[in-house]
Amino acid sequence: MKKKKVVIALGHEALGTTLPEQKKATRQTAKAVADFIKDDYQIVITHSNGPQVGMIHTAMAEFCRIYPEYTATPMSVCSAMSQGYIGYDLQNAIRSELLNRGIYKSVSTVLTQVVVDPYDEAFYHPSKVIGRVMTEEEAEAEEKKGNHVVKVEDGYRRIVAAPKPIDIVEIDAVKALSDADQVVIACGGGGIPVLSQDNSLKGASAVIEKDLAAGKLAELIDADELVILTSVEKVCLNYGKENEKPLESMTVAEAKQYIAEGQFEEGTMLPKIEAAIDFIGNSAVRNVLITKLNPNQEAGSRISGTRIHK
């Protein structure tokens, strides 16, 4: 019998922020992932990287400021670094948890590049704030390099585009590992954004919304289900208001209606709902579960989140 294939998208809470936090958080996350594997699911994992890639970018920018003879580190390289060290902690934590349960299964991290469109509207309207706070003089120097900056409360910070993912370069490798029933970690932080130029790939000065990348990953490997783990147990209408209403389930048509009504906040719940809509498409089989990570719950209680379906 063919195993059910599930993509699990891990949010910030599943990883922590600092190095010690990440070590601890991945051990807890591994328990939830192992529950799926114990239930005989075929698992592909993707994850956020916001605090981690921000830390790397800040550190590399500071290094370049102190030692100007070194070349500045592009965003694409910072993204690759974050995939490597998050994957290192995550794959080791999952491997240990599985072995503790008497399960031997390889866990691999695939350094993943995600192709974006150079004419994506996002490149004309960068919106994602990254890196450290800069002085006015430093901000002017960034602008002279062709980068974008925005004024914040205590100075200036750099902003980059957030284009939509259109393809995953290493998707065949991910499929091969998954089909061999190995646990795969891919598209970390939305993937390394690249532009396709003939036979070459060029890193883009951008970040990709991790939830949209998770949806694209699930689509391309033909997953049965996409599980998005976030900080809330259920999707809510009128979130944060007195008349807040948690949703047990919603159809794709209802999700589109709620988006039109402005129910979901941009940068938080909206990309998760958009990813769900894109992944499900016209399929009557695919579904999406949005829920909160709880490694101590019974596996069957995962249905406590919000289920999105055709």
Side-chain angles (χ1 to χ4, degrees), residues 168-177:
I168 297 172
V169 178
E170 292 78 16
I171 194 63
D172 288 342
V174 174
K175 285 179 180 177
L177 290 168

Side-chain angles (χ1 to χ4, degrees), residues 147-168:
N147 297 323
H148 298 273
V149 299
V150 64
K151 187 168 178 52
V152 294
E153 186 176 345
D154 45 357
Y156 296 83
R157 293 183 71 186
R158 190 175 162 198
I159 52 172
V160 296
K164 291 185 177 180
I166 59 175
D167 199 9
I168 297 172

Side-chain angles (χ1 to χ4, degrees), residues 180-191:
D181 203 25
Q182 298 186 29
V183 181
V184 191
I185 301 164
C187 289

Side-chain angles (χ1 to χ4, degrees), residues 41-54:
Y41 287 90
Q42 203 171 342
I43 301 299
V44 177
I45 299 165
T46 186
H47 59 80
S48 65
N49 74 338
Q52 290 86 354
V53 77

Side-chain angles (χ1 to χ4, degrees), residues 202-265:
K202 181 182 178 181
S205 183
V207 294
I208 300 171
E209 177 56 60
K210 64 177 176 57
D211 296 309
L212 297 181
K216 176 60 70 174
L217 174 63
E219 172 196 331
L220 293 180
I221 68 168
D222 195 23
D224 300 288
E225 183 177 0
L226 170 62
V227 177
I228 301 177
L229 299 177
T230 185
S231 59
V232 294
E233 187 174 332
K234 294 180 181 179
V235 179
C236 295
L237 300 181
N238 307 311
Y239 181 69
K241 300 178 182 178
E242 289 184 1
N243 59 339
E244 178 177 294
K245 179 185 177 183
L247 298 174
E248 296 286 341
S249 67
M250 70 175 115
T251 64
V252 167
E254 289 170 335
K256 290 178 179 179
Q257 178 186 332
Y258 295 145
I259 288 175
E261 294 172 359
Q263 283 284 353
F264 308 123
E265 187 176 350

Side-chain angles (χ1 to χ4, degrees), residues 4-306:
K4 189 173 182 180
K5 189 176 292 186
V6 178
V7 170
I8 303 175
L10 304 175
H12 165 64
E13 286 195 351
L15 298 173
T17 301
T18 65
L19 289 170
E21 279 183 8
Q22 182 171 295
K23 280 279 189 184
K24 181 178 179 181
T26 52
R27 285 196 294 268
Q28 292 300 309
T29 299
K31 295 179 181 179
V33 172
D35 282 342
F36 279 94
I37 296 168
K38 185 180 178 183
D39 290 347
D40 214 25
Y41 287 90
Q42 203 171 342
I43 301 299
V44 177
I45 299 165
T46 186
H47 59 80
S48 65
N49 74 338
Q52 290 86 354
V53 77
M55 177 184 69
I56 291 169
H57 182 270
T58 300
M60 299 309 291
E62 187 67 11
F63 178 80
C64 190
R65 185 185 68 81
I66 297 171
Y67 300 101
E69 66 270 23
Y70 284 89
T71 305
T73 308
M75 268 304 299
S76 55
V77 176
C78 292
S79 179
M81 290 179 177
S82 74
Q83 281 192 13
Y85 101 80
I86 294 172
Y88 166 67
D89 277 346
L90 195 54
Q91 71 183 40
N92 284 342
I94 294 170
R95 177 182 178 276
S96 293
E97 181 64 27
L98 291 175
L99 288 174
N100 288 340
R101 299 187 187 199
I103 301 170
Y104 177 77
K105 195 179 289 285
S106 293
V107 187
S108 305
T109 299
V110 176
L111 198 66
T112 319
Q113 301 173 94
V114 175
V115 179
V116 296
D117 183 350
Y119 301 106
D120 191 301
E121 189 67 24
F123 283 110
Y124 303 98
H125 304 284
S127 59
K128 290 285 186 178
V129 179
I130 63 164
R132 65 182 177 87
V133 176
M134 300 179 287
T135 64
E136 185 173 358
E137 182 181 3
E138 289 172 327
E140 288 175 356
E142 283 295 321
E143 289 184 320
K144 287 178 182 178
K145 296 177 189 175
N147 297 323
H148 298 273
V149 299
V150 64
K151 187 168 178 52
V152 294
E153 186 176 345
D154 45 357
Y156 296 83
R157 293 183 71 186
R158 190 175 162 198
I159 52 172
V160 296
K164 291 185 177 180
I166 59 175
D167 199 9
I168 297 172
V169 178
E170 292 78 16
I171 194 63
D172 288 342
V174 174
K175 285 179 180 177
L177 290 168
S178 179
D179 289 344
D181 203 25
Q182 298 186 29
V183 181
V184 191
I185 301 164
C187 289
I192 304 163
V194 294
L195 304 171
S196 181
Q197 300 178 341
D198 296 323
N199 290 329
S200 299
L201 297 170
K202 181 182 178 181
S205 183
V207 294
I208 300 171
E209 177 56 60
K210 64 177 176 57
D211 296 309
L212 297 181
K216 176 60 70 174
L217 174 63
E219 172 196 331
L220 293 180
I221 68 168
D222 195 23
D224 300 288
E225 183 177 0
L226 170 62
V227 177
I228 301 177
L229 299 177
T230 185
S231 59
V232 294
E233 187 174 332
K234 294 180 181 179
V235 179
C236 295
L237 300 181
N238 307 311
Y239 181 69
K241 300 178 182 178
E242 289 184 1
N243 59 339
E244 178 177 294
K245 179 185 177 183
L247 298 174
E248 296 286 341
S249 67
M250 70 175 115
T251 64
V252 167
E254 289 170 335
K256 290 178 179 179
Q257 178 186 332
Y258 295 145
I259 288 175
E261 294 172 359
Q263 283 284 353
F264 308 123
E265 187 176 350
E266 189 171 344
T268 54
M269 188 56 70
L270 179 59
K272 294 172 176 57
I273 303 300
E274 290 176 334
I277 292 170
D278 290 345
F279 167 61
I280 294 170
N282 293 318
S283 173
V285 178
R286 291 177 176 177
N287 70 94
V288 175
L289 176 66
I290 300 177
T291 189
K292 185 181 174 112
L293 173 68
N294 183 358
N296 298 313
Q297 67 188 3
E298 291 296 323
S301 66
R302 287 191 294 262
I303 58 172
S304 63
T306 300

